[in-house]
Structures are given as structure tokens and as C-alpha cells.
């Protein structure tokens, strides 16, 4: 991997192109617009298949429920807006008309996280992973780069059932190729290692790779980087293996630390193989205006934070082992 | 470049001859251009289009506010529902003395009180609520109007501005229904009717017309005006102020505006909804405004 000269492409481009691909292979795929088609790039589909594109205007609740109606009539509707509005403005509609009905509606949540930048807190959705993953019947995917977003878009279009795809606005390192496997519910292990596992999604996967490289070079620590693109259904086996093999975990996401990927991983770990976990994410606060990279730095969503968290996780694991040994000694 | 500096000029809020408004609106437009240029992102179109309405609303002695004690419990309220046109609100508040105009430079920057969309958390004087999720501000305004009219029993007025694309949000009509149900004569809802939104013309993206009749059916006093005509803006707002305490009907002003008004290459073009001017464009825009300023001065000499 060339860490210096990596090409950067926005994930939303993968979403737009994935929709066109789906449109070509399935006549039933339709797209609903929410007045920001050029931002979330549903505009690609609109240009290619104008007869299967419906502009609903700025009405996310309506669009979500219309999508449910289309799905109940045999169509495969996609509706996309900024994640702030396609996960929250329509929360009730998602819960009842989409998830409870268990209909084949696909929601795109674009411009997610702090990397939407200067628009500020109102537009920086940082809570939808925790909301969407608690909805029964839902599939939730948070892809990490352009190629993967395109594959994930096609994959949710081909599967049957309600799904939510969370992606971003800014150009991010494009580190997977067209050949990299993508399967819903199957995490990708990007680096081998048994010292610490870093489980990440979205923009933090790249930062995890950078952190793993530095940990190896500078500290001789081998980190297992896991791209947990599917948050729901979560890949139990890969997480349990990581807990068993590494004995400590760091989770990383551009999302609140509460209830997101970190929460999902912790639920699996605590039940099956409890080990120390460090959570990297937004520390229970709202976002603010700034440039994307500035904000990632400001909130500590960087490889440096990941390195420190990895070291802390390792220390906690080793101290814990000492403690267990100590308790065993006393009890003898 | 001297044009990119914010003078510390402020304007009084007082009854004034109509020919004083163009100069104020011009200053607001300059501030919008300059702050957006510094920001490098943000919404030019709607901000410029509403400059004339803001000039009259804040500087015509209509709205009661006191920048040095802005949280005064007897103030009139202004709620920006269309949070994305924050640049015009920030420019207005700065020129009214709520905070130093030089702070306009910090629009959308890390650590600024001038968030891309207004945030209550950063405590910028003059900001009544966070906004940016379209459709919510108008319900906040309804809440304030209920509070003042039915609970505090004061004559405080509540002004709110929504976009026209914003009217596609269903909750906006819940707010409308509520406003007339509770006889909120103290509410003045101004619709920025530029027939532009992000994807194109409002009537093409999702038709909202007829507007006048819709608001009337919802129980409003409705008046459609030219949103760039100072005399029409002034007299409508004045009527609202004079009649509000007796009125049992909420008020809706449909202000026909042009997105990007005042800048030749932006006017009535929806593609300027959410982009800032680059340096070259900012210079061009500012020189157009300066030319206009000279013409205004000449005109005022004749009158
Ligand atoms: C609930 C919600 N959905 C979508 C958006 C994204 N958005 C911001 S401004 C805008 C267009 C608003 O159109 P209009 O109200 O006519 O304002 P104008 O373009 O005239 O300034 C949209 C869709 C948002 N801010 N809030
Ligand atoms: Mg408009």
C-alpha cells in the first residue's frame, strides 16, 4: 500500500454509479429525489433513467413512506438525502413503514459525519449507526471507500429487505480495488496480526491502516485491521476470533462513541469473549463548522489517536492478565 | 484588497425615509459576498435575495431589539427557519451592532460563532434558535408566538423567514394550521418566494403553488409583495405591527424575490443556491455593488 500517493475519491460517487449499474440490471429499481440529487449523486440515475426517477422535493418523511408504497407494489425504491435528514427526519417512517413492514426499501444516507465540513452540526449526522442498527429487519452498511460503496450499493439493491447505506461527501483514500471481495455481513480482514485488533468502519478504516503501519514500524506491534463495513448483521465470528487471538480491541468510527460500531462490537465481545475495548469516535457531543480534515483532527479521528488507543488497549489487557494471575495466586 | 475588509459601520433601527434602505441593503450584500468569499463555501443565492427584506425588517424601526441587552424579555423575536441563508442574518446582526462586523470573516471556520447553519450552542448574540433542518424554525416561531400571546400576554411580535422549497416539508403545514388555530396575530411568516431550490425551479422539483390561496385556506392574512420593493416591504411589515394586537389571524407575506439579486451573474439562477463566489467572482460582485452605490448616492442627491 502506498500511503503517500493514494488516490482520493468521494464515496458518494460509488453510490451514484452503483445505482446506475442496478438500474441497468433491474427494471424495477426506481430512485426518489430529495432536492439534493447532485449532492448525493442520484443525479447519475436521474440522467440515465428519467422515467424511473421521481422528484419528491424536500420531504424526507413523505419520500420514505412513498418508497414503502413502491416496495409494496413490487419495486426496488432507493431514496437518498443527507444522512441527517434520511435517517432522522423520517425516523418514525423508517421504523414503521419500512422496518416493521419489512419492505424492500433502500435508503442512502450521504454527507454523513463531520467530514461534511463547514455546514456544521445540523448537517453532521453522528447518531444514525446507533439508531438504524436497533431497527429489526434492517441491514446497515458503512462502506470505507469508493469501490466498496459501489459494491455495497449494488449488493443492497440485489438483496431483499430494508437497508441503509451510510456514506460521505469528501474525497477519501481509495484503497480497495474492483477485485476486493465484498459480501454483506462478512468483514474484511485487511492486515494480519495478533497483538491488537482494530475494528473500524467508514473513513476510519483508512486511518486504521495508517495506524497499523506505524505500530508495526515504530513499535513492532502487529495490529489486525478489520473493515467492519456491515454493522448489521454484524460479523460475530470475525469479532470473536479477534478477541480470542488479540486479547484486546480498538473500535473506530466517524460517529458518536455511544451505540455505534463500538457498541455493536462490545455487545458481541462481552457476551462471547470479554476483552478490553477502547472506543474511538465522537465523545458525546455535536459537531461544528470547519474543514473536514481539521474536524477529524479536532475530534481525534486520526491514526495517532488509534495508535494511543491501541497501546492503551494492550496495556489494559496485559495488566488484566497480571491481575488475573495475581488473583489466582492468592486463591491457591 | 480593501474591499475584503469589514468596516465597523453600523446602522440604527429607526423609522427612516425609504431612500435610506438601498444603501443598507447594499452593505448587507457586500457583507454576504465578502464573508462567503472568506468562508469558501456556503449559500450565496438566498442570502442575497433576502437582503432587501432584512434591511427593512431590522433597520426600519419595526422590530424591537436592543443589541446591548439582546436577551431582554420584551424583545420581538426573529427566527430564521431557512438556516442555510445564515450569511444574510449574520451580516444584518453585525450591522445592527450585535457583534463586531469583523467577525463576519470567521463564517464557517473552526471555532467560529458563525456556524454554517446557526447554532445556539455557540451563543452568538441575536440568534434565537439553531436552524438548518428545513421546516423546523417556523414551528419554533409558532411556539414563541403562543408563549407571548397566550401565556406571557405581551405584545411581542414573532417574525420568521422560510424558503419556498422549504414549504415542501409537511411539518410546515402543521405549523400553519396551528398558527391559525391559536389565532396567532402576532406571527409574521415571510416566505422567500424565489422559485429556486437546489435541484431547480420549485414548481418543477415539487409544485407548491398556488401559495396565496393555500395560506388563505389555512386561515392566514396573506399578502404577496415584490420582495425587492422597499415601499411594499415596509408598508406590509408596518401594517402587521400596527394590527397584530387586534388581529386573530396569523400573517403571511409572500415575498417575490430573485435568488442572487443584485449580482448580474447570479440573479435568478438556482445554481447559486449553495456556492460561494471565488476571488474573481467576489471582486466582480463587489465592483457591481460599488457602482450601484455611486448611482444611489447620485440619485439621492437629485431627490
Ligand atoms: C430537512 C432538510 N432537508 C434537506 C436539506 C438540504 N437543503 C438545504 S437548503 C435546501 C433547498 C431549500 O430551498 P429553498 O427553501 O427554496 O431555499 P433557497 O434555495 O431559495 O435558498 C435543501 C434541500 C435541509 N437543510 N433540511
Ligand atoms: Mg427558494
Amino acid at each position: 500500500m502506498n500511503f503517500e500517493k493514494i488516490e482520493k475519491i468521494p464515496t458518494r460517487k460509488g453510490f451514484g454509479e452503483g445505482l446506475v449499474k442496478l438500474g441497468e440490471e433491474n427494471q424495477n429499481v426506481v430512485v426518489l429525489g430529495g432536492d439534493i440529487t447532485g449532492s448525493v449523486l442520484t443525479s447519475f440515475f436521474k440522467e440515465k433513467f428519467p422515467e424511473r426517477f421521481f422528484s419528491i422535493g424536500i420531504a424526507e418523511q413523505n419520500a420514505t413512506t412513498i418508497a414503502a408504497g413502491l416496495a409494496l407494489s413490487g419495486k426496488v425504491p432507493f431514496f437518498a438525502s443527507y444522512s441527517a435528514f434520511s435517517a432522522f427526519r423520517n425516523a418514525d417512517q423508517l421504523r414503521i413503514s419500512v422496518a416493521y413492514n419489512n419492505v424492500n426499501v433502500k435508503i442512502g444516507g450521504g454527507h454523513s459525519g463531520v467530514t461534511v465540513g463547514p455546514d456544521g452540526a445540523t448537517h453532521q449526522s453522528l447518531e444514525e449507526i446507533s439508531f438504524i442498527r436497533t431497527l429489526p429487519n434492517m441491514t446497515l452498511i458503512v462502506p470505507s471507500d469508493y469501490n466498496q460503496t459501489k459494491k455495497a450499493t449494488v449488493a443492497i439493491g440485489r438483496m431483499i429487505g430494508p437497508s441503509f447505506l451510510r456514506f460521505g461527501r469528501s474525497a477519501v483514500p481509495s484503497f480497495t480495488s474492483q477485485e476486493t471481495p465484498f459480501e454483506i455481513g462478512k468483514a474484511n480482514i485487511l492486515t494480519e496480526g495478533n497483538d491488537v485488533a482494530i475494528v473500524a468502519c467508514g473513513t476510519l478504516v483508512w486511518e486504521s491502516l495508517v495506524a497499523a503501519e506505524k505500530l508495526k514500524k515504530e513499535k513492532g506491534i502487529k495490529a489486525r485491521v478489520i473493515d467492519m463495513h456491515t454493522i448489521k448483521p454484524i460479523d460475530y465470528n470475525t469479532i470473536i476470533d479477534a478477541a480470542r487471538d488479540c486479547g484486546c480491541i480498538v473500535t473506530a468510527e466517524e460517529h458518536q462513541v455511544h451505540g455505534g460500531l463500538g457498541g455493536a462490537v462490545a455487545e458481541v465481545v462481552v457476551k462471547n469473549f470479554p476483552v478490553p475495548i477502547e472506543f474511538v469516535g465522537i465523545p458525546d457531543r455535536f459537531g461544528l463548522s470547519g474543514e473536514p480534515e481539521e474536524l477529524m483532527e479536532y475530534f481525534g479521528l486520526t491514526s495517532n489517536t488509534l495508535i494511543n488507543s491501541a497501546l492503551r488497549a494492550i496495556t489494559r489487557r496485559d495488566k488484566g492478565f497480571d491481575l488475573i494471575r495475581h488473583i489466582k495466586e492468592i486463591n491457591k | 484588497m480593501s474591499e475584503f475588509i469589514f468596516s465597523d459601520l453600523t446602522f440604527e433601527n429607526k423609522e427612516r425615509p425609504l431612500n435610506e434602505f438601498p444603501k443598507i441593503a447594499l452593505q448587507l450584500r457586500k457583507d454576504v459576498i465578502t464573508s462567503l468569499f472568506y468562508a469558501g463555501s456556503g449559500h450565496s443565492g438566498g442570502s442575497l435575495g433576502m437582503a432587501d427584506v432584512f434591511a427593512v425588517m431590522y433597520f426600519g424601526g419595526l422590530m424591537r431589539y436592543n443589541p446591548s441587552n439582546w436577551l431582554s424579555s420584551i424583545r420581538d423575536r426573529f427566527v430564521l427557519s431557512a438556516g442555510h441563508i445564515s450569511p444574510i442574518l449574520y451580516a444584518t446582526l453585525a450591522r445592527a451592532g450585535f457583534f463586531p462586523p469583523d467577525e463576519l470573516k470567521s463564517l464557517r471556520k473552526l471555532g467560529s460563532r458563525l456556524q454554517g447553519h446557526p447554532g445556539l450552542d455557540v451563543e452568538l448574540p441575536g440568534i434565537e434558535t439553531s436552524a438548518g433542518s428545513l421546516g423546523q424554525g417556523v414551528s419554533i416561531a409558532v411556539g414563541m408566538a403562543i408563549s407571548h400571546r397566550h401565556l406571557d400576554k405581551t405584545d411581542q411580535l414573532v417574525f420568521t423567514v422560510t424558503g419556498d422549497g422549504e414549504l415542501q416539508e409537511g411539518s410546515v403545514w402543521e405549523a400553519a394550521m396551528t398558527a391559525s388555530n391559536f389565532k396567532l396575530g402576532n406571527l409574521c411568516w415571510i416566505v422567500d418566494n424565489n422559485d429556486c431550490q437546489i435541484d431547480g425551479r420549485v414548481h418543477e422539483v415539487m409544485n407548491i403553488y398556488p401559495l396565496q390561496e393555500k395560506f388563505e385556506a389555512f386561515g392566514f392574512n396573506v399578502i404577496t409583495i415584490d420582495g425587492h420593493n422597499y415601499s411594499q416591504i415596509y408598508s406590509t411589515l408596518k401594517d402587521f405591527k400596527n394590527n397584530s394586537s387586534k388581529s386573530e389571524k396569523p400573517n403571511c407575506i409572500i415575498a417575490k424575490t430573485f435568488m442572487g439579486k443584485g449580482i448580474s451573474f447570479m440573479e435568478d439562477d438556482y445554481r447559486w443556491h449553495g456556492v460561494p463566489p471565488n476571488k474573481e467572482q467576489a471582486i466582480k460582485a463587489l465592483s457591481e455593488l460599488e457602482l450601484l452605490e455611486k448611482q444611489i448616492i447620485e440619485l439621492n442627491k437629485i431627490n
Side-chain angles (χ1 to χ4, degrees), chain B residues 163-165 192 194-197 202 259:
Chain B
D164 49 4
D192 174 17
N194 55 15
D195 201 42
C196 286
Q197 61 186 111
V202 173
M259 181 171 267

Side-chain angles (χ1 to χ4, degrees), chain A residues 32-53:
Chain A
L32 305 180
D35 191 35
I36 39 167
T37 56
S39 306
V40 292
L41 297 179
T42 43
S43 51
F44 296 169
F45 186 96
K46 174 165 129 186
E47 275 155 37
K48 197 85 193 270
F49 308 105
E51 72 292 349
R52 281 191 271 152
F53 176 87

Side-chain angles (χ1 to χ4, degrees), chain B residues 11-12 16 20-29 55 59:
Chain B
F11 301 108
E12 259 181 89
R16 57 174 85 232
E20 288 184 24
F21 288 117
K23 193 169 160 290
I24 300 175
L26 202 100
Q27 181 60 47
L28 299 182
R29 287 195 164 93
F59 302 104

